[in-house]
């Protein structure tokens, strides 16, 4: 809806005149009515009166099935009605996650029509009841346009909306995915936080808290004793989070814990998770299972595995770290100085802990509160688990995300008008939700009604940039990303002001009018910092226009919502929208694996690649040759006819198996910096640095993030969560027994340490016992399978004895590993071990296990194509898939390969990602969380 035609034209003209200028503009107060007081009006952009959006698309019946890591069916629903243009991946995720009712209940939802109608009908009815619409015609238009957006995968709400809205037995559903909880320095409050978090985790949401109000372990209790300190209570919170299954599923709780850098226990907090990580390594070395989410395993036996940790720092601290000067921690009770610390040393310890385990991240308090719209109420102390929602304590935020790639016109230009229209429809729907949702505590409910923060965001930015022929790590890519983010937030605040014109601003607005208008002006003025020459004129002019009107309408009427936008991970809902990339993330690989309707998977090159090549001027023949090369090699590097200057367009987050290129970690940081000035909250993103990165480089990345104006950042060093630390691997390499010139048997002592490992290969179970020398190297093995006296038992005994003798006579384990790995014979098949998902034989499994445990990574053998009767075997060969080859070619694509096999191959790009707790597949990163590309489960909120 427009304000008036003359004002739109004037704003557009003003935007054209301003292109390239850096002039700051002040808003002017308008007087007189605009007609907005009568309610919201909506225009039909995609729909026709009297024609339901469902009638304009083709529908088909499908089976939605999900298989586990061993090929077993973990979910199946037949004859579900799905739009024909939705992928099978979207089908199985939406049906398994969002359809309501038990599988054996005949009333269970069976059509996407039912799902979308349940949500769209309910929100529209709530809007009528809340007097949002100027007329019944506007209500019907809103309903039709909202339905269109959801049906055509242009937008999706966060998971709690799909879980809970429209159920007849739940008139006040929980709709928010993100919560911030407060905690005070008394036992009642500390225990109350545990109870509140338990309710949130059970409901499928995530929560964050700043524990800096809890007195330190250096302060006394009123009774005369010494306080435990926040880290001690974190152990209790972590234990509760670990046992609560989120949302009635097996997904673990999503949780954030924050401590201020001036808290006396800050160094204990900084190092607590890294110290537990080292304990996990020691347990793994002692024989405990090193997998994630394994009951009784190494990581199940240490603390702090169920939360993200972040240190909250100020500009003063970062400046002191830059200069190498001291700063003071302060006692919690009275604020007096506690001790002076070297700021640079504290930052170094933060970086070293991050180097070890990925935590803590950093949140930049001064920047966060500089952009805070409600400063007069209180400061912002904390965030949700993924750091995108930052607002007052005891508040909640419901999220929704737009699919950027769906806003391209047929000529591949960006449809700004449709994008703004979607922003207005979506933010209105989110606002309607606020009063009709339930909240876990009275305080959260009170603040949610009073401040009404919302979290509109987007997904598929990485795919959009590639489609447009723009490198993710480029000035052009960052300019377009910043502009689209600006349009989204400006349009959202403008619509929020229109709602305020009719229903009044949020209750806390009057108290915060001045700081909020100041922040709106900061957003508006930041548009001037975008390089206008790098963005299409239509797009940059729209950014100026929406912010001019957002400020002017807010100055006149106020705003209905204190916050409007965040950039969330978009885990499960990204599947619902068939997004290639999540949130603000770039693509992870040029090759994708698409689930087929009839089962199996299809290996294809990302559809954005041909579009990008065409955009860059390549003819159809050359495009086909390059696509075929990518499919064969798994990388675009070296593709025939490709110009070197175009390689950056196709850089992805991870280095391909046969390539050398990937996006530099500072490319990720700079992209976040391009979007941050136009986001109400912050950005969920983990910046991956390579395995060889140093702690100094991580510290520098943190400093650069602060200088570039980010509100928060998390950094993860690839493969840092491995089964043993690098120093241990090197020590074992140095201590390996040397081969001597004459035969000499090095016997084990009568009492020796050993490792017992249970394994299962296609249902055939066995035990591997490894006896160790004093230096931790293997000296004997025993293999127990089948009943005593059976043929297989006897053969394995004889084989194990031979290997033991070889080890004791000095044959290097590396030689035995190279000899016996990848031998193929029955039994072979899937295993529950995420590090060895498929074993070609018992010998293959045993020696690959020994290789992973005792052979340094650089000396482990390459996997080879399996040969059987002179031809490539039809059973899975992981190396082949990793290099872009699968068995059986059909029209340039690869069919008939199991989902499990290919998804485990995808996970090789991040070998230490956790397995999905629902289906067992290896997960991939989505923002600061993980998501499962097989079943759609996520490890975080949203």
């Amino acid at each position: 809806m427009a304000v008036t035609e003359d004002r739109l034209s004037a704003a557009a003209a003003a935007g054209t005149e301003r292109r390239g200028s850096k002039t700051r503009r002040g808003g002017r107060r308008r007087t007189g009515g605009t007609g907005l007081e009568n309610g919201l009006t909506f225009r039909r952009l995609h729909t026709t009166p009297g024609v339901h959006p469902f009638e304009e698309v083709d529908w088909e019946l499908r089976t939605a099935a999900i298989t586990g890591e061993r090929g077993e069916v973990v979910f199946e629903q037949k004859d579900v009605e799905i739009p024909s243009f939705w992928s099978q991946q979207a089908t199985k995720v939406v049906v398994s996650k969002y359809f309501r009712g038990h599988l054996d209940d005949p009333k269970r939802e069976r059509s996407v029509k039912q799902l979308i109608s349940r949500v769209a009908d309910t929100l529209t009815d709530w809007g009528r009841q809340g007097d949002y619409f100027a007329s019944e015609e506007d209500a019907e238009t809103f309903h039709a346009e909202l339905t269109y957006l959801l049906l055509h995968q242009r937008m999706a709400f966060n998971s709690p909306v799909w879980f809970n809205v429209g159920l007849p037995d739940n008139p006040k559903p929980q709709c928010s995915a993100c919560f911030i909880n407060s905690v005070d320095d008394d036992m009642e409050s500390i225990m109350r936080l545990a109870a509140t978090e338990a309710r949130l985790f059970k409901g499928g949401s995530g929560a964050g808290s700043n524990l800096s109000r809890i007195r330190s372990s250096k302060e006394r209790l009123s009774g005369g004793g010494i306080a435990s300190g926040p880290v001690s209570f974190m152990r209790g919170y972590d234990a509760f989070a670990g046992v609560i299954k989120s949302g009635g599923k097996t997904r673990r709780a999503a949780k954030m814990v924050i401590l201020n850098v001036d808290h006396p226990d800050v160094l204990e907090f900084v190092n607590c998770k890294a110290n537990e990580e080292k304990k996990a390594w020691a347990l793994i070395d002692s024989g405990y299972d090193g997998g994630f989410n394994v009951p009784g395993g190494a990581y199940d036996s240490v603390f702090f595995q169920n939360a993200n940790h972040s240190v909250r720092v100020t500009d003063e601290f970062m400046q002191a770290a830059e200069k190498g000067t001291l700063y003071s921690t302060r006692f919690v009770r009275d604020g007096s100085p506690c001790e002076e610390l070297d700021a640079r040393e504290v930052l170094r310890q933060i970086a070293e802990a991050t180097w070890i385990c990925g935590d803590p991240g950093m949140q930049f308090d001064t920047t966060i509160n500089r952009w805070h719209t409600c400063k007069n109420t209180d400061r912002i102390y904390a965030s949700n688990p993924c750091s995108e929602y930052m607002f007052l304590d005891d508040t909640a935020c419901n999220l929704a995300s737009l699919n950027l790639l769906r806003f391209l016109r047929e000529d591949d230009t960006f449809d700004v008008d449709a994008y703004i229209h979607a922003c207005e429809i979506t933010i209105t729907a989110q606002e309607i939700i606020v009063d009709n949702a339930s909240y876990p505590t009275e305080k959260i409910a009170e603040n949610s009604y009073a401040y009404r923060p919302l979290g509109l965001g987007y997904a598929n930015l990485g795919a959009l940039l590639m489609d447009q022929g723009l490198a993710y790590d480029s000035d052009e890519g960052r300019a377009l990303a910043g502009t689209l983010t600006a349009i989204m937030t400006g349009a959202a605040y403008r619509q929020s002001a229109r709602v305020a014109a009719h229903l009044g601003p949020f209750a806390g607005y009057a108290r915060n009018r001045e700081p909020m208008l100041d922040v709106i002006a900061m957003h508006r003025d930041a548009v001037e910092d975008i390089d206008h020459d790098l963005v299409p004129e239509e797009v940059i002019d729209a950014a100026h226009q929406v912010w001019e009107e957002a400020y002017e309408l807010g100055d006149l009427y106020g705003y209905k919502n204190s916050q409007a936008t965040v950039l969330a991970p978009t885990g499960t809902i990204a599947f619902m929208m068939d997004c290639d990339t999540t949130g603000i993330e770039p693509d992870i690989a040029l090759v994708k694996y698409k689930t087929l309707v009839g089962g199996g998977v299809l290996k294809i090159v990302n559809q954005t690649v041909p579009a990008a090549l065409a955009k860059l001027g390549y003819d159809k023949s050359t495009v086909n040759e390059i696509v075929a090369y990518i499919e064969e090699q798994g990388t675009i590097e070296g593709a025939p006819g490709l110009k070197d200057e175009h390689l950056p367009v196709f850089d992805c987050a991870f280095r391909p198996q046969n390539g050398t290129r990937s996006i530099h970690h500072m490319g990720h940081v700079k992209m976040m910096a391009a979007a941050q000035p136009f986001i109400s909250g912050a950005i969920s993103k983990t910046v991956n640095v390579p395995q060889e990165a140093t702690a100094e480089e991580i510290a520098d990345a943190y400093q650069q993030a602060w200088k570039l104006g980010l509100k928060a950042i998390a950094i993860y060093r690839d493969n840092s969560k491995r089964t043993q630390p690098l120093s241990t691997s090197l020590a074992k390499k140095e201590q390996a027994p040397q081969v001597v010139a004459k035969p000499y048997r090095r016997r084990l002592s009568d009492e020796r340490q050993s490792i017992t490992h249970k394994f299962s290969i296609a249902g055939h179970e066995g035990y591997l016992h490894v006896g160790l020398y004093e230096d931790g190297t293997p000296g004997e093995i025993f293999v127990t399978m089948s009943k005593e006296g059976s043929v297989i038992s006897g053969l394995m005994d004889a084989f194990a004895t031979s290997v033991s003798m070889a080890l004791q006579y000095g044959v290097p384990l590396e030689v035995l590993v190279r000899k016996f790995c990848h031998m193929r014979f029955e039994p072979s098949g899937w295993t529950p071990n995420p590090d060895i998902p498929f074993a070609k034989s018992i010998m293959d499994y045993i020696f690959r296990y020994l290789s992973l445990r005792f052979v340094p990574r650089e000396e482990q053998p390459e996997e080879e194509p399996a040969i059987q009767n002179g031809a490539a075997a039809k059973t899975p060969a992981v190396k082949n898939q990793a290099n872009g080859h699968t068995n059986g070619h059909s029209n340039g694509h690869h069919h008939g390969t199991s989902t499990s096999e290919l998804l485990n191959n995808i996970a090789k790009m991040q070998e230490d990602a956790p397995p999905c707790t629902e289906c067992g597949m290896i997960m991939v990163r989505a923002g600061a969380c993980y998501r499962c590309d097989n079943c759609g489960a996520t490890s975080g909120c949203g």
Side-chain angles (χ1 to χ4, degrees):
M1 57 180 279
V3 180
T4 59
E5 288 297 327
D6 59 325
R7 288 188 61 205
L8 286 174
S9 301
T16 302
E17 293 174 4
R18 282 193 305 271
R19 285 180 59 83
S21 74
K22 297 291 182 180
T23 306
R24 290 180 61 87
R25 305 176 308 284
R28 61 186 184 278
R29 184 77 179 267
R30 295 183 75 256
T31 58
T34 60
L36 297 174
E37 297 87 349
N38 299 322
L40 299 178
T41 61
F42 294 93
R43 62 190 173 102
R44 288 186 181 262
L45 182 63
H46 304 294
T47 62
T48 304
V51 180
H52 198 286
F54 292 159
E55 299 174 10
E56 298 184 310
V57 302
D58 294 327
W59 297 80
E60 60 188 33
L61 297 182
R62 299 179 184 174
T63 294
I66 296 174
T67 55
E69 58 180 332
R70 284 169 285 185
E72 76 280 13
V73 176
V74 297
F75 173 86
E76 184 178 56
Q77 184 175 352
K78 297 180 179 180
D79 295 328
V80 290
E81 190 178 30
I82 306 294
S84 60
F85 55 90
W86 281 32
S87 73
Q88 186 64 14
Q89 185 82 335
T91 299
K92 68 179 184 179
V93 170
V94 168
V95 172
S96 64
K97 301 294 180 187
Y98 297 149
F99 278 19
R100 296 295 90 191
H102 296 293
L103 277 173
D104 57 357
D105 185 349
K107 295 182 180 179
R108 175 181 167 85
E109 291 175 337
R110 54 167 299 276
S111 173
V112 167
K113 293 177 182 177
Q114 293 172 289
L115 174 67
I116 292 178
S117 295
R118 169 163 61 81
V119 172
D121 294 357
T122 303
L123 295 184
T124 306
D125 287 343
W126 285 349
R128 291 187 178 100
Q129 296 165 16
D131 191 31
Y132 281 85
F133 308 118
S135 67
E136 178 57 26
E137 180 183 351
D138 291 303
E140 293 173 357
T141 300
F142 170 81
H143 177 267
E145 294 294 312
L146 176 61
T147 300
Y148 179 94
L149 295 178
L150 297 171
L151 174 65
H152 289 269
Q153 300 174 303
R154 294 194 173 206
M155 182 274 286
F157 297 105
N158 60 199
S159 290
V161 168
W162 298 110
F163 289 153
N164 303 322
V165 168
L167 302 181
D169 58 346
N170 193 7
K172 293 280 284 186
Q174 179 184 311
C175 297
S176 297
C178 303
F179 292 84
I180 300 172
N181 296 317
S182 65
V183 60
D184 293 318
D185 188 38
D186 64 77
M187 192 58 66
E188 182 179 344
S189 176
I190 290 169
M191 292 298 100
R192 189 186 308 119
L193 175 60
T196 301
E197 288 185 338
R199 288 194 293 272
L200 290 174
F201 300 153
K202 185 176 182 295
S205 300
S209 299
N210 189 322
L211 304 187
S212 299
R213 292 191 184 99
I214 300 176
R215 77 189 76 179
S216 71
S217 60
K218 299 178 174 62
E219 298 177 68
R220 292 190 175 277
L221 298 170
S222 57
I226 300 296
S228 300
V231 176
S232 66
F233 289 110
M234 284 166 53
R235 291 184 172 88
Y237 294 143
D238 180 74
F240 277 121
V243 299
I244 297 171
K245 306 297 184 180
S246 180
K249 306 289 185 181
T250 54
R251 178 160 68 94
R252 294 292 183 177
K255 177 176 169 60
M256 169 68 80
V257 180
I258 300 163
L259 201 72
N260 295 345
V261 75
D262 64 351
H263 192 283
D265 289 344
V266 65
L267 290 180
E268 182 186 5
F269 176 83
V270 165
N271 293 297
C272 67
K273 199 166 185 178
N275 289 337
E276 294 298 305
E277 180 74 18
K278 294 174 185 177
K279 291 179 186 178
W281 294 343
L283 290 170
I284 292 168
D285 289 341
S286 299
Y288 285 82
D289 194 313
F292 292 92
N293 300 321
V294 176
Y299 286 100
D300 190 54
S301 305
V302 298
F303 286 106
F304 311 130
Q305 302 304 303
N306 299 295
N308 298 325
H309 292 184
S310 286
V311 179
R312 183 67 76 101
V313 299
T314 61
D315 280 2
E316 290 75 19
F317 170 83
M318 294 302 294
Q319 291 162 359
E322 196 170 33
K323 297 174 183 176
T325 57
L326 301 177
Y327 82 103
S328 179
T329 61
R330 296 189 174 276
F331 289 116
V332 174
R333 296 293 287 172
D334 59 11
S336 61
C338 175
E339 62 180 321
E340 288 192 327
L341 298 176
D342 184 324
R344 183 174 293 171
E345 170 62 17
V346 172
L347 181 60
R348 184 191 66 79
Q349 291 195 37
I350 292 172
E352 286 191 349
T354 303
W355 187 93
I356 291 171
C357 65
D359 276 291
M362 295 191 75
Q363 296 188 355
F364 303 108
D365 182 82
T366 309
T367 304
I368 291 167
N369 282 288
R370 183 183 304 125
W371 291 86
H372 181 23
T373 57
C374 295
K375 297 180 180 70
N376 291 344
T377 298
D378 199 0
R379 293 177 57 80
I380 295 175
Y381 300 103
S383 74
N384 73 317
C386 301
S387 290
E388 76 269 20
Y389 173 55
M390 296 180 166
F391 196 52
L392 299 169
D393 278 358
D394 299 303
T395 57
C397 183
N398 72 73
L399 311 177
S401 293
L402 303 163
N403 181 354
L404 293 179
L405 205 59
R406 294 290 187 186
F407 294 96
L408 291 179
R409 301 186 183 99
E410 290 186 4
D411 63 359
D412 218 31
T413 58
F414 194 83
D415 191 340
V416 179
D417 183 47
Y419 180 55
I420 293 175
H421 178 72
C423 292
E424 294 172 350
I425 294 288
T426 306
I427 202 73
T428 303
Q430 291 178 272
E431 155 58 24
I432 290 171
I433 287 172
V434 174
D435 283 330
N436 295 280
S438 66
Y439 303 91
T441 69
E442 290 185 10
K443 200 167 185 179
I444 292 176
E446 178 184 337
N447 286 334
S448 295
Y449 299 144
Y451 293 93
R452 317 178 77 81
L454 302 176
L456 176 63
Y458 57 65
N460 239 357
L461 173 67
L464 175 73
L465 295 178
M466 187 180 292
D467 178 276
Q468 295 294 292
L470 302 176
Y472 187 88
D473 186 9
S474 69
D475 291 337
E476 294 81 1
R478 288 185 282 269
L480 181 59
T483 307
L484 294 181
T485 312
I487 292 172
M488 176 181 70
T489 304
Y493 271 127
R494 183 176 67 178
Q495 186 71 357
S496 181
R498 290 167 177 164
V499 178
H502 175 54
L503 298 176
F506 65 91
Y509 176 74
R511 183 179 182 181
N512 291 284
R513 182 180 187 279
E514 184 176 351
M516 183 155 190
L517 285 174
D518 285 346
V519 170
I520 297 296
M522 289 165 63
H523 287 302
R524 178 198 63 189
D525 295 342
V527 178
E528 297 288 3
D529 295 326
I530 299 172
D531 190 333
H532 290 37
D533 295 330
L534 301 180
V535 185
E537 184 173 352
E538 175 191 14
V539 180
I540 193 67
D541 284 348
H544 282 298
Q545 176 180 317
V546 294
W547 277 110
E548 287 286 2
E549 294 187 5
Y551 184 93
E552 291 184 7
L553 287 175
D555 187 30
L556 189 61
Y557 298 112
Y559 301 92
K560 192 64 177 176
N561 311 96
S562 57
Q563 287 200 353
T565 56
V566 303
L567 286 183
T570 62
T572 306
I573 63 174
F575 289 112
M576 186 178 192
M577 295 188 292
D578 275 320
C579 294
D580 289 315
T581 62
T582 60
I584 198 174
E585 300 286 346
D587 220 330
I588 63 171
L590 294 181
V591 175
K592 285 285 193 296
Y593 299 93
K594 182 179 181 181
T595 306
L596 299 175
V597 175
V601 293
L602 176 69
K603 177 184 173 184
I604 58 173
V605 175
N606 286 3
Q607 294 306 297
T608 47
V609 173
L613 290 168
K615 193 89 170 182
L616 293 170
Y618 293 91
D619 59 46
K620 188 173 182 180
S621 175
T622 305
V623 169
N624 291 338
E625 288 182 11
I626 294 174
V627 169
Y629 178 90
I630 296 171
E631 187 172 14
E632 182 72 15
Q633 298 296 324
T635 179
I636 199 170
E637 297 171 49
L642 182 71
K643 298 177 182 178
D644 288 345
E645 61 264 31
H646 293 154
L647 278 172
V649 173
F650 305 97
D651 285 345
C652 295
F654 295 98
R655 179 179 60 83
Q657 187 75 15
N658 293 327
T660 61
R661 299 179 60 91
S662 63
I663 298 170
H664 190 273
H665 66 268
M666 282 306 300
H668 296 259
V669 175
K670 290 177 181 177
M671 180 57 78
M672 295 171 71
Q676 184 61 81
F678 308 109
I679 294 293
S680 299
I683 303 168
S684 173
K685 175 159 178 53
T686 296
V687 175
N688 281 60
V689 299
Q691 183 174 340
E692 59 272 17
T694 64
E696 288 75 18
E697 290 174 308
I698 293 175
D700 179 68
Y702 279 141
Q703 286 182 307
Q704 294 303 317
W706 164 65
K707 290 180 178 179
L708 288 170
L710 299 191
K711 292 182 179 179
I713 183 172
I715 294 177
Y716 181 74
R717 185 173 64 88
D718 292 343
N719 301 323
S720 61
K721 276 191 175 292
R722 56 194 184 280
T723 55
Q724 56 187 12
L726 182 61
S727 58
T728 304
S729 299
L730 293 175
K732 288 187 176 181
K733 180 179 177 182
E734 292 166 0
Q735 296 166 7
Q738 296 183 355
V739 179
V740 294
K742 62 180 182 179
Y744 170 75
R745 184 178 181 186
R746 183 189 179 200
R747 297 178 183 273
L748 283 82
S749 60
D750 290 341
E751 291 188 4
R752 76 288 301 265
Q753 288 188 334
S754 67
I755 295 173
T756 300
H757 172 70
K758 182 181 179 181
F759 61 89
S760 175
I761 302 172
H764 296 269
E765 294 187 346
Y767 294 86
L768 172 64
H769 309 269
V770 185
L772 305 177
Y773 289 113
E774 291 82 356
D775 62 4
T777 56
E780 66 180 4
I781 67 169
F782 298 96
V783 182
T784 304
M785 290 193 74
S786 302
K787 294 180 179 180
E788 188 68 30
S790 66
V791 172
I792 192 170
S793 178
L795 288 173
M796 293 312 300
D797 281 346
F799 175 75
T801 300
S802 300
V803 171
S804 300
M805 295 296 289
L807 290 171
Q808 292 173 27
Y809 273 101
V811 177
L813 178 60
E814 293 89 335
V815 173
L816 296 171
V817 165
R818 283 195 293 270
K819 195 68 176 177
F820 291 107
C821 274
H822 313 302
M823 292 186 69
R824 181 179 299 280
F825 57 84
E826 296 300 326
S828 64
W830 298 107
T831 86
N833 187 339
D835 295 322
I836 312 172
F838 189 91
K840 304 180 182 85
S841 64
I842 298 171
M843 306 308 182
D844 175 44
Y845 184 92
I846 289 172
F847 282 95
R848 284 167 69 190
Y849 173 80
L850 292 173
S851 173
L852 290 169
R853 287 305 308 264
F854 300 107
V855 178
R857 184 184 296 271
E858 64 272 12
E859 296 185 22
Q860 290 178 7
E862 288 280 329
E863 295 185 273
E864 300 172 355
I867 303 298
Q868 195 174 61
N869 297 329
K874 293 183 180 180
T875 46
V878 178
K879 172 72 172 181
N880 280 353
Q881 297 140 23
N883 286 337
H885 303 280
T886 54
N887 303 298
H889 292 251
S890 176
N891 298 325
H893 298 303
H894 307 278
H895 298 270
T897 310
S898 71
T899 307
S900 303
E901 180 187 351
L902 291 176
L903 291 173
N904 276 305
N905 172 46
I906 295 171
K908 279 181 170 290
M909 289 180 291
Q910 44 186 48
E911 296 171 359
D912 48 7
C916 175
T917 54
E918 295 196 25
C919 71
M921 296 299 181
I922 304 300
M923 305 178 85
V924 296
R925 278 206 176 274
C929 307
Y930 288 98
R931 72 170 188 173
C932 177
D933 280 345
N934 181 46
C935 72
T938 63
S939 65
C941 54

